[in-house]
Amino acid sequence: MTEQIYEIRHIEGRNRFEILVDGREAGYASYVPREGNVLDFNHTVIDQAFRGRGLSLPLIRAALDHAREQGATITPSCSAVAHFISKNDDYRDLCENRTP
């Protein structure tokens, strides 16, 4: 299997993280900033042409790592983000209520 080359970027003005494959947007994770330095991750989408490649995992990980670096807590309104956290205990401390 060939290693995937992708880029993840934070588009702060659009409140989202994008994952690009070969320069093409393959998906995004969006958030809504809330009072008290809380980021509500409310939507994760991987374009149909890129599904099945596991791209949501590095996308969500990068978004949550960014939240941690900023000292923010998160609300995992998006089921994909909540599922990721339920499988990765080292991110549970970021949750506003600590149980996604």
Side-chain angles (χ1 to χ4, degrees), residues 31-40 42 75 77 96:
Y31 63 90
V32 176
R34 303 280 185 210
E35 191 173 324
N37 200 22
V38 175
L39 301 178
D40 181 352
N42 61 348
T75 299
S77 295
E96 188 176 32

Side-chain angles (χ1 to χ4, degrees), residues 48-64:
Q48 189 168 353
F50 294 94
R51 290 186 188 159
R53 300 186 192 183
L55 293 172
S56 65
L57 299 177
L59 175 61
I60 292 169
R61 180 174 282 113
L64 297 180

